[in-house]
Amino acid sequence: VFAPTITYLYARKQMSELVAFSRQAMTFVGLAIGLPVALISGLSAPLLKVWLGPEFADLNWLMSLQTFHLSVNLAMLPLLTIQTATNHVKLPAIATAGMGLVNLGLALFLAGPMHWGLYGVAAAGAMAWTLKNLIFTSIYAALVIGCPWTTFLKTLVSNLYLSAGTASLGLLLVWWWHPPGWAGLAGAAVSASNLAFSR
């Protein structure tokens, strides 16, 4: 959706417009993905209980671990177009392959010697992908268009703040009140969303 406009702005060398549009795209994706991800993370226990049955409710932290990092990582997708538009794809490819090896090694270590099991595999993927995007993708995209390296990190921090706040409110609601069904879950999701946006 955002790629044609980012490519067009770069082709016309409209760098200030490119940065503004890319940050708006990150914010939009962060809101569109971050809110559902935060709600799934915060309400994971009752969601699993209502959706799959009480025997799956104990997997709530695994579900949260697998989903929460998406609020940051999927918001980075518009920046990948900057790499393509500027024809800077070799180093990102090497970084992605390298981080894939780190992910594999970390998953084997956490799931094996550390005895984290499924949580180790999920944690390894979340850590590797988040580190790659925070440290490499956001900084590299800024540098290839001649901007300060913190240009896109500021947008990620605001997305992370909203997601973390919403997930925390969801956890507090679940601790205080256990939604009994789909209607209760919907009410808890609306309440957590309203409280998060009112701050």
Side-chain angles (χ1 to χ4, degrees):
V1 173
F2 305 111
T5 303
I6 290 173
T7 305
Y8 171 80
L9 291 172
Y10 177 75
R12 295 178 64 87
K13 304 301 178 190
Q14 297 176 336
M15 293 305 171
S16 59
E17 291 86 351
L18 172 62
V19 170
F21 181 81
S22 298
R23 292 182 69 181
Q24 287 173 349
M26 290 173 65
T27 301
F28 177 79
V29 174
L31 289 173
I33 296 296
L35 185 59
V37 160
L39 291 173
I40 288 171
S41 298
L43 303 173
S44 57
L47 175 61
L48 286 170
K49 185 176 181 181
V50 172
W51 180 24
L52 300 174
E55 62 273 18
F56 290 93
D58 290 340
L59 296 174
N60 62 315
W61 292 111
L62 180 62
M63 186 175 188
S64 298
L65 188 57
Q66 287 184 306
T67 56
F68 185 77
H69 69 92
L70 298 176
S71 62
V72 171
N73 289 314
L74 293 181
M76 303 294 291
L77 292 178
L79 298 185
L80 300 181
T81 304
I82 292 177
Q83 298 171 3
T84 306
T86 59
N87 199 26
H88 286 85
V89 293
K90 183 178 180 181
L91 191 56
I94 294 169
T96 301
M99 197 51 74
L101 294 174
V102 169
N103 182 8
L104 177 61
L106 192 57
L108 291 173
F109 174 72
L110 293 177
M114 295 298 291
H115 305 291
W116 286 18
L118 292 174
Y119 292 87
V121 177
M127 287 188 283
W129 198 11
T130 303
L131 284 174
K132 182 245 178 188
N133 282 328
L134 282 178
I135 295 173
F136 179 80
T137 304
S138 62
I139 295 172
Y140 188 71
L143 294 179
V144 296
I145 57 174
C147 293
W149 65 276
T150 58
T151 300
F152 299 114
L153 284 173
K154 298 170 186 174
T155 306
L156 285 176
V157 169
S158 61
N159 288 349
L160 184 59
Y161 174 77
L162 174 66
S163 297
T166 306
S168 299
L169 289 169
L171 285 171
L172 284 173
L173 281 171
V174 169
W175 176 75
W176 176 66
W177 173 64
H178 298 283
W182 289 111
L185 276 170
V190 169
S191 299
S193 301
N194 285 338
L195 287 170
F197 278 103
S198 67
R199 296 185 176 271

